[in-house]
Amino acid sequence: MNTSTRRLLLTVIGAPAAALAVWALAVPLAGTTLTVRMSAGTQTVGPVSVVVASLVAGLAGWALLAALERWAPRPGRVWTITALVVLVLSLTGPLGSAAGAAATLVLILLHLVVGAVLVLGLARRRA
């Protein structure tokens, strides 16, 4: 495995790890209840959903970056802009469905932490 692939893999693993750290500080330590309203009632956001969602986001970001590097003339720039737009759009989830101010703030922080790790870690420049 080359250095670039190793760095990308560590980024995709680092995003769920960072999100899980935020979740652990907010939920078990601070006592915040992360509940979201859904059409069928409410659902608590637990550690498994935090890890799975951030891992899926990381793998999707890596796949998009790989496709752009193959076919786009400026893959790093296109990927970064796309990733930032997706991050901003993802914030509508917590803003519209979180049950309570504390849950909203924690869920926004989770999105921002995962987004920051992925945007900064997956963006790479070609020499």
Side-chain angles (χ1 to χ4, degrees):
M1 181 181 317
N2 65 33
T3 304
S4 179
T5 302
R6 187 175 302 121
R7 184 176 63 81
L8 294 172
L9 184 59
L10 287 174
T11 297
V12 170
I13 293 169
L20 193 56
V22 170
W23 181 89
L25 289 171
V27 177
L29 291 178
T32 306
T33 301
L34 290 185
T35 305
V36 293
R37 292 181 296 274
M38 305 188 62
S39 60
T42 61
Q43 179 180 355
T44 301
V45 177
V48 173
S49 36
V50 168
V51 169
V52 169
S54 53
L55 187 59
V56 167
L59 292 171
W62 189 357
L64 176 61
L65 179 60
L68 291 171
E69 285 179 336
R70 185 173 179 125
W71 294 298
R74 298 184 68 177
R77 182 173 187 206
V78 172
W79 186 87
T80 301
I81 291 169
T82 303
L84 291 172
V85 168
V86 169
L87 173 59
V88 169
L89 292 174
S90 80
L91 295 175
T92 62
L95 291 173
S97 64
T104 301
L105 291 175
V106 172
L107 289 169
I108 287 172
L109 183 59
L110 284 168
H111 281 244
L112 292 174
V113 165
V114 169
V117 169
L118 294 177
V119 168
L120 296 174
L122 290 179
R124 63 181 183 192
R125 309 287 179 243
R126 290 183 171 234

